[in-house]
């Protein structure tokens, strides 16, 4: 594994808060790990929190609740944002994106917060296997189990 791939996987693991597998031979995954996480997410000038807020805003603008759940869960896992801050983002963005898109973000945040609370009550952490599968699917078009 070359240095850019190692750097990209390390940043991807930091961004998502779990161990992302290295998937060989998938050009889209290669581009994501090497360029997006190896280069773009490693650029100086913005904090991880800044980048997370921008990513959540873009995902909310697209109306993609699945991606919003992944990003909200990672923000909570990494301590970049609290549940209350995520809910406030949804309220704020509703004024700029419209109620339907803001409410999708709010619904995604509420779902993640509820799942994490239930897991904590059972003495468990969030479902990392589901998180990894969702992130791999988002970045490569398949799940770990599909590869």
């Amino acid at each position: 594994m070359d240095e850019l791939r190692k750097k990209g996987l390390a940043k991807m693991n930091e961004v998502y808060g779990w161990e992302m597998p290295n998937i060989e031979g998938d050009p889209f995954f290669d581009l994501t790990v090497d360029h997006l996480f190896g280069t773009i997410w490693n650029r100086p000038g913005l904090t991880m929190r800044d980048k997370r807020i921008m990513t959540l805003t873009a995902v909310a603008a697209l109306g993609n609740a699945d991606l919003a759940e992944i990003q909200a869960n990672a923000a909570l896992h990494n301590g970049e944002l609290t549940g209350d801050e995520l809910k406030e983002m949804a309220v704020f963005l509703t004024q700029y994106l419209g109620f339907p898109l803001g409410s999708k973000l709010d619904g995604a945040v509420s779902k993640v917060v509820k799942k994490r609370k239930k897991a904590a009550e059972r003495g468990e952490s969030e479902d990392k296997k589901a998180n990894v599968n969702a992130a791999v699917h988002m970045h490569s078009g398949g799940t770990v189990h599909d590869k």
Side-chain angles (χ1 to χ4, degrees):
M1 182 181 327
D2 68 19
E3 287 305 309
L4 183 59
R5 176 55 58 102
K6 286 179 187 174
K7 183 179 176 182
L9 279 174
K11 183 55 76 172
M12 200 172 191
N13 292 337
E14 178 186 350
V15 167
Y16 289 121
W18 60 76
E19 196 68 26
M20 183 64 67
N22 183 30
I23 300 171
E24 297 289 339
D26 182 325
F28 192 76
F29 189 78
D30 293 345
L31 180 65
T32 300
V33 173
D34 298 343
H35 181 68
L36 176 60
F37 290 100
T39 303
I40 301 301
W41 274 86
N42 273 296
R43 290 178 54 85
L46 296 172
T47 66
M48 286 294 289
R49 186 176 194 273
D50 295 338
K51 292 171 187 176
R52 181 78 64 200
I53 289 170
M54 290 177 18
T55 303
L56 276 161
T57 300
V59 166
L62 294 171
N64 192 321
D66 292 339
L67 294 178
E69 285 181 37
I70 291 169
Q71 292 297 326
N73 191 54
L76 290 167
H77 176 83
N78 292 336
E80 297 154 351
L81 294 161
T82 65
D84 289 341
E85 289 171 325
L86 288 165
K87 296 285 277 178
E88 191 58 33
M89 279 183 66
V91 170
F92 183 81
L93 287 174
T94 296
Q95 302 307 300
Y96 288 91
L97 301 177
F99 190 82
L101 293 175
S103 65
K104 277 188 179 182
L105 177 60
D106 183 66
V109 167
S110 295
K111 184 176 178 180
V112 167
V113 168
K114 184 178 178 180
K115 285 170 92 173
R116 291 178 69 88
K117 183 178 178 185
K118 284 185 177 183
E121 288 170 355
R122 292 189 308 267
E124 303 168 356
S125 64
E126 69 277 7
D127 184 358
K128 290 190 178 192
K129 183 177 179 181
N131 292 338
V132 171
N133 280 335
V136 169
H137 183 74
M138 174 177 61
H139 291 296
S140 71
T143 65
V144 173
H145 303 292
D146 293 339
K147 299 294 179 192

